[in-house]
Amino acid sequence: MTVDSRLAGLREPQVQRQKSSLFRQSLKRLMKNKLAVAGFGVVVFMFALCFIGPFFSPYADNKINMAMMNKAPSLQHLLGTDALGRDILTRVMQAGRISLTVGLASMVLSVFIGALLGAVAGYYRGIADQIIMRIADLLMTIPGLPLLFIFGALLSEWKVPTDYRMYIVMLMLSIVNWPGLARMVRGQMLSLREREFMQAAVVLGLRDSRKLFHHLLPNVVPLLIVMATLNIGGAILSESVLSFFGLGVMPPTPTWGNMIDAANNMIDFQDHPWLWIPPGLSIFATVIAINIFGDGLRDVLDPKQKR
Amino acid sequence: MKHLMKIEGLSTVFHTEEGKVTAVDHVSFQVREGETVCIVGESGCGKSVTAMSIMGLVEAPGGQVNGGQIDFAGEDLLRLDKNTLRAIRGNEIAMIFQEPMSSLNPVMKIGEQIMEPLMVHLKLNKKQARIRAIELITQVGIARPEQIFGSYPHELSGGMLQRIMIAIAVSCSPKLLIADEPTTALDVTIQAQILDMLREFKESGGMSILLITHDLGVVAEMADYVIVMYSGQIVEEGGVVELFNHPKHPYTRGLLKSKPVVGQRLEELYSIPGQVPNPLTLEQSCYFHDRCEHCMPVCRSRQPRLEELGGGQKTACWLYEEAEVHV
Amino acid sequence: MSTYLTKRLLYMLIILFAASLLIFILYASTPGDFITGNIKLTAERKAELREIYGLNKPVLERYGIWMNNAFHGDFGYSLAQQKPVLQLFNDYIWNSFLLAAVSTFLTWVIAVIVGVISAYKQYSWFDTLVMVAIFAAMSLPSFFIGLFLIKILAVDLKWLPPGGMITTGSHATGLAYLKEVVRHMALPVVVMTLLGLGSLTRYFRSNMIDVLKQDYIRTARAKGLKERKVLFRHALRNALLPAITLVGFELPALFGGSLIIEQIFNWPGIGQLYMKSFGLRDYPLLMGFTMFIAILTVIGTLLSDILYRVADPRVRL
Amino acid sequence: MSEALLEVSHLKKYFPVTEGLLNRTVGHVKAVDDISLTLQPGETFGLVGESGSGKSTVGRTILRLTEKTAGEVKFKGVDIHSLSPAELRLLRPRMQLIFQDPYSALNPRVRVGDAIGEALLDHGLCTKHEVRELVLESLAACGLSSYHIDRFPHEFSGGQRQRIGIARALILNPDLIIADEPVSALDVSIQAQIINLFSKLQQSKGLAYLFISHDLSVVEHLCSRIGVMYLGSMVETAARDELFHNPLHPYTKALLSAVPVPVPRLKRERIVLKGDIPSPANPPSGCKFHTRCPFAVEVCKAENPVFRDAGGGHFIACHLA
């Protein structure tokens, strides 16, 4: 027995507390983690910057300005201008909209697919489990990046209009990401099934639907929230790689990844670093904030930490 | 009898997320040479933390011994530097734990784990340590010692592992053996074997035992002197016969009455109402007051002191301090 | 043990078979091919070449041929390089291995040391610093940090070469050659180490934290062992044990090169070869490479399992 | 004799021991090996044994939480193991289970009130309007307060959680409650409260208990008939006073003498058993107890003793007695 668990025995319920809510209790514990709160602050800031920022920018129309080509950062253009004289700060914000949207949407999609298939596999087991997990195994055997590259090449051939490419990119990322999530959800379901409270549910003669929706899923959701959060960061990174190599979202739709593509040009790389460093730092700042926040969430929500 | 260890005002606190918990609150007692002292109490009463404080092993996040002294063979354990304390630990004071299954390192062979203290404290070389380890395995009543020497913990049963733990503990002939719930995780027939063995080692080696347990049956069987703890404090102590025959504190009495005894069935069990108070919200009062049948106004506002009642028995209860109540 | 192995091997083969089919179909449906992309060829010549390479046959038949050859140890013939795929792999793989081996080694050493210290001093300022560094490392876009370091250390400060394995036109031999390679390796190794460090350090840190809470650590301390011994003899062994499974998972990374890093640093490894061939749609090579990684992944997983079973006395077959 | 509430005859539960991932069966753990017992309405039968005796598996197999290997379980004359899942579900409320670990038996994300009331709703035993009232009633019967209804399990101590578990079973008005070590995880003072609660509920509701425990003193307090198990087999069954004052099987004798009694300096004759409990995967031949039995003779090693009536409903499986 660890000292922690001995102390757990010491902690008695406080009688005076009002009707409690697990959500509020978790939130309270999360607020104590300063690092996580800071991470959340940065995430909110990045979202606000990207989605609201452009409305306050005088350069939001992306007008080509030949007089202002490749200018270094100045008071007028805080992060300089690109080869067409467009304001980099504004471009970064507009690119962020796409990058964040792709990250968020692909997370939603992969969590949806992963959680659904994982839950089906873990709850019904048998044939469904076999089929789903074998497909997951298969997808995890093929290396992710080449797989994404092939998808990316397919996109180019199908002549997907650039406006729609971002949706396909979301789909691609989800296809690559769901097996990991499905495995995790399945594992969680299987371990929950063995818990005594699930045996209690059997003895009480509860219906299958109640067992699934009232007992199993609520115990998977916290872990899912954590994984989903961390997944956004991963998706943003993957999207940037794809777009950087010209296989993801393509200009003129700006994303952080395809803005860094400027670095593929020797002159821009060496002499105009303001073209590609700001979007890179934006990716870094956003992803690190998401990761730190996600880790804080894990401390609060992951039942492994609690007892 | 000379005292071997004398604890004076020991306090240990844990700083938890929800606040400060005083797990051990000004505890004083002594262990005489060759004597078995039992600390008895329910979970959370601070009996295990007391043991860990003696060993200097309270280091969980936020845990800290913050007062008192532990005089052991003329030295204050709380003021020793780390290295000196380490030389005493496992050597002059040894300890065994509740869960034999998890108390041995799963990836090290049993033999290696017995040899360690022999090599560290008695400065034996590998060869001598091996010979001694095999002797020790034989001494704790395990057949085929050579084979056991080379096996891993998961290959042995809980009872065997507790024997191995005892072998490790007695390997350096300690003056004091601290046993923290040594039989709680074991079956009754195995418990009987382990208790017998502890008694034998005590008698043959002349060591003292500090036995921590929640089981009054074990206490009656093993103890010379008994300490009853509640919410981090000692509420009663005394010789085993006096304490069992004439318990003074209402908590002690309640405990003794609420335990069903084989062969002495009653129609209804006595039970102490309520539950242990929340250690985070303790106030100046007798901590037992809201479960006590004899609760008086003074019990709610002031803490009783542990007072001698004669016959070596002490208790902390206002019932026995009536003279002072009206001060 | 043997029944277990047989079963695993069988499953491995099935997965690989399915993977090969999937890979083939994916590449087969990828638009364009090496011949289409070559504008120097006449239409007749193109048709002729298609005939020669069997590209005009139905997909499944081509797959059959490909698999049949693969079973005979022939993974095809690179159209762009005019060399057998296997030979090309052999030419490039060791460059990749050099990079990966050095950075993997560094990653593990640093991760174990930092992870252990950080766990031991949980909640200290050092630990907090390590945690932030871990998150930073896990959040780096690989290509960006590569470019960033090239820009600063190679372009601006000119401390290190910006890319390649040797200086262009250099004919250095012996020690001078070695020195040149080491200088060229420095940046990609740093980046790869950095990228791997985050998750691995975190893994060791949390493993170690878990182990330090165990009862047997308390027992070790109660025996009066020195803290160093408790940490490295009792705790580390238990913390490292589950990490053995990771060794197998490193396999694809060790031999499969890194697409992004090798591309950014212009390192003549198998990853860069893939990137070059991808632009040229050199299918035999692309499929061979993808299949190669898939095989490594499957072998790696098996290896992890076996290693774990060998290393942990508690797991018996 | 009136119709028995529960009739278990020759129940066997073997768990296959498999090797490798191919799951080749190489042997069986005979967790329950030919157990028979009868329980009358309102009676309490105590099942005693040490770890590995299979006492918990008996409980779980009766409730069909695991499928039996052989034998029969009749509850009110119905063979439980022949029911379809839907039929079994309808019968579930009649027989309930109380768990040992009050921490893991409650879903951490379900409010106490919901946990207690949900089965009623699921079985359509009451309407949504009535459920709160019934839950409150059940809480009160188990010594909990009405304000506990909206709390989550982690806000309760071990003893209170056990009360919640009892309330959850009780609300269904079962005929039989199988209690698997329900007080083992609790402190002495709390243990007494829960034991008294069990007695009180039995008197007021006419419940029958199958009380599984390793603690002889608790079993003696609560049970009218007691069975002693060793390595999957019943070695002795008798009425309470008969068993405690006139134990016939050497194992029962040893068990009784091994229990520490809270009377200091008590001189009593004690049978200390040698060695460990053998593994149920590889039990000894003949009488399974012969390896530790102080009185074992040749025949014990070779022949499995028959479980027979030694007179007056005192059953025993021993060659010597």
Side-chain angles (χ1 to χ4, degrees), chain C residues 108-280:
Chain C
W108 277 69
V109 170
I110 299 173
V112 168
I113 295 172
V114 174
V116 167
I117 297 175
S118 190
Y120 187 61
K121 310 202 162 189
Q122 201 188 356
Y123 303 125
S124 68
W125 63 267
F126 175 81
D127 182 43
T128 311
L129 213 65
V130 168
M131 281 310 282
V132 173
I134 284 173
F135 288 126
M138 293 200 315
S139 312
L140 285 170
S142 50
F143 62 100
F144 175 71
I145 184 68
L147 291 168
F148 190 74
L149 289 182
I150 293 173
K151 165 78 176 143
I152 294 186
L153 297 176
V155 175
D156 293 349
L157 296 170
K158 298 202 164 40
W159 287 353
L160 290 165
M165 191 164 160
I166 45 167
T167 316
T168 327
S170 158
H171 294 288
T173 49
L175 218 61
Y177 173 77
L178 192 71
K179 205 179 143 195
E180 212 166 273
V181 173
V182 169
R183 272 176 56 81
H184 281 82
M185 266 173 69
L187 263 185
V189 164
V190 165
V191 172
M192 282 172 79
T193 308
L194 210 57
L195 290 170
L197 213 48
S199 53
L200 202 63
T201 308
R202 184 179 147 129
Y203 179 80
F204 281 120
R205 177 181 174 275
S206 62
N207 263 5
M208 196 67 182
I209 287 175
D210 283 348
V211 169
L212 285 174
K213 285 183 194 154
Q214 298 299 312
D215 285 352
Y216 53 81
I217 296 301
R218 189 182 57 186
T219 308
R221 290 194 171 124
K223 280 182 188 172
L225 300 186
K226 289 210 171 72
E227 220 32 42
R228 192 164 37 86
K229 248 192 173 159
V230 172
L231 215 57
F232 290 100
R233 225 175 116 78
H234 284 262
L236 190 58
R237 255 204 241 183
N238 282 282
L240 278 179
L241 196 69
I244 284 179
T245 53
L246 296 183
V247 174
F249 295 125
E250 296 276 11
L251 202 65
L254 273 178
F255 292 96
S258 160
L259 302 188
I260 297 166
I261 301 300
E262 288 178 9
Q263 176 73 6
I264 297 279
F265 288 95
N266 196 24
W267 184 265
I270 196 165
Q272 203 205 13
L273 178 69
Y274 177 89
M275 294 299 275
K276 224 184 328 176
S277 311
F278 194 84
L280 297 170

Side-chain angles (χ1 to χ4, degrees), chain A residues 13 20 199 204-205 207 215, chain D residues 60 89 111 118 122-123 155:
Chain A
S20 57
Q199 291 201 357
L204 291 170
R207 286 171 204 280
H215 290 271
Chain D
R60 267 148 225 262
R89 197 180 85 81
R111 287 180 203 275
E118 63 180 350
D122 239 25
H123 286 283
E155 298 173 69

Side-chain angles (χ1 to χ4, degrees), chain A residues 12-22 25 195-197 199-200 202-207 210 214-216 218-219 222 301 306-307, chain D residues 60 65 89 92 95-97 99 101 103-111 118-119 122-123 147 150-152 154-157 160 168 172:
Chain A
E12 288 301 323
Q14 282 153 25
V15 180
Q16 40 305 46
R17 206 183 300 150
Q18 287 299 303
K19 180 169 172 168
S20 57
S21 124
L22 285 183
Q25 287 171 20
R195 297 273 291 274
E196 277 195 340
F197 65 76
Q199 291 201 357
V202 173
V203 173
L204 291 170
L206 300 185
R207 286 171 204 280
R210 185 178 286 272
H214 278 73
H215 290 271
L216 283 174
N219 281 287
L301 295 179
K306 246 178 27 179
R307 164 66 208 225
Chain D
R60 267 148 225 262
L65 282 172
R89 197 180 85 81
R92 287 274 182 218
M95 36 183 201
Q96 284 299 303
L97 177 65
F99 294 84
D101 182 0
Y103 289 83
S104 59
L106 296 171
N107 189 336
R109 305 205 161 260
V110 175
R111 287 180 203 275
E118 63 180 350
D122 239 25
H123 286 283
Y147 62 82
D150 289 320
R151 298 279 175 81
F152 285 97
H154 71 263
E155 298 173 69
F156 292 87
S157 65
Q160 286 174 314
R168 179 173 65 181
L172 294 168

